Amino acid sequence: MQFLELFSDYWLAMLLAAVLAYALGSVNSAIIISGIAKKRDIRKYGSGNAGATNVMRTFGAGLGAVTFICDVLKGAAAAGLAYLLAGILVPGGDGAWEVAYLGTLCGVLGHMFPVFFAFRGGKGVSTALGALLVLDWRMALCCLAVFIIAVILTRMVSVGSVAAAVSVPIFTFIFNRFVSASPDRLTVCGTVLMAVMVLIVIIRHGENIKRIIKGTESRLSFGGGKTNKNTQ
């Protein structure tokens, strides 16, 4: 009986965390900030992506930075809220980190496909970073390092984003299995959920990947030169 009650509470926490994290992720910072500051819908400008990079290229570094920070905080809130919710609903907080991983996935999905904005959002990289900082800040910094190195080597933000995304389930497995010595259930659950998230992130970068293959993807100019606005 006690097991059945625990099982029921666990799935209730999963369901509520998924819904709340998705709703939170759907509060798209790029669309809201560009609408308030410029009275424009960022999805009609630049690359058409509702993310920090397009805001920066279209409306300037200041608004881009604000958007990035909001997206990171939103991701952190999605994962953190899911974890706290599980801690409240499930006796002893059993499975709270698994629920946090689900909150991460749903928060990123909300950012990509926001219910409040006709399901047309961003690509989820900044939101994922914020969630990873809650799940394990060391893992988040490793993924961020992959992003920075890839961008420096290729001068393409899209390559950095895809490379960092691919590294997420890898570092999730490594840190849970070998660093934190997490239970097998958490290791498997976290790795699988992050792999699903990465697959969707890569699909969202499909046009970028096509341009990378063709050699037409725009590159950053560290020397201050211009780049086209066809990336993120």
Side-chain angles (χ1 to χ4, degrees):
M1 186 66 177
Q2 184 177 4
F3 171 77
L4 291 177
E5 290 177 356
L6 176 61
F7 186 79
S8 176
D9 292 337
Y10 178 72
W11 286 107
L12 175 60
M14 282 280 197
L15 176 61
L16 290 178
V19 172
L20 292 175
Y22 173 76
L24 184 59
S26 292
V27 182
N28 189 283
S29 307
I31 298 173
I32 294 173
I33 289 172
S34 63
I36 293 175
K38 298 295 184 178
K39 301 295 188 294
R40 297 176 184 176
D41 186 340
I42 186 62
R43 295 172 296 181
K44 296 179 180 179
Y45 299 88
S47 67
N49 182 57
T53 302
N54 195 31
V55 173
M56 178 189 71
R57 287 195 168 108
T58 305
F59 298 128
L63 288 182
V66 173
T67 302
F68 172 76
I69 292 171
C70 289
D71 284 345
V72 170
L73 292 176
K74 179 176 67 177
L81 178 63
Y83 177 80
L84 292 175
L85 189 61
I88 294 171
L89 294 177
V90 182
D94 184 54
W97 283 114
E98 288 98 318
V99 177
Y101 275 103
L102 178 64
T104 297
L105 171 60
C106 292
V108 171
L109 285 174
H111 179 81
M112 294 176 177
F113 311 104
V115 67
F116 307 127
F117 299 102
F119 302 101
R120 289 181 55 218
K123 296 180 179 176
V125 176
S126 301
T127 302
L129 173 61
L132 291 176
L133 287 169
V134 171
L135 295 173
D136 191 322
W137 62 269
R138 300 165 300 180
M139 179 171 68
L141 291 182
C142 287
C143 295
L144 181 60
V146 170
F147 171 83
I148 293 172
I149 292 171
V151 171
I152 290 175
L153 291 177
T154 66
R155 293 189 293 119
M156 289 185 279
V157 174
S158 54
V159 172
S161 297
V162 172
V166 171
S167 74
V168 171
I170 296 173
F171 284 124
T172 298
F173 178 80
I174 291 173
F175 275 90
N176 278 288
R177 181 69 177 83
F178 301 108
V179 179
S180 301
S182 302
D184 290 342
R185 186 181 74 178
L186 173 57
T187 301
V188 173
C189 180
T191 303
V192 169
L193 287 173
M194 293 302 94
V196 171
M197 182 185 76
V198 167
L199 177 61
I200 299 171
V201 169
I202 291 176
I203 291 173
R204 289 286 289 166
H205 281 82
E207 292 301 318
N208 300 91
I209 293 172
K210 290 178 182 178
R211 290 194 294 269
I212 291 170
I213 294 174
K214 292 179 180 178
T216 58
E217 180 74 330
S218 67
R219 298 174 182 266
L220 294 174
S221 177
F222 298 125
K226 293 183 179 181
T227 63
N228 66 51
K229 298 180 180 182
N230 206 28
T231 9
Q232 291 285 301

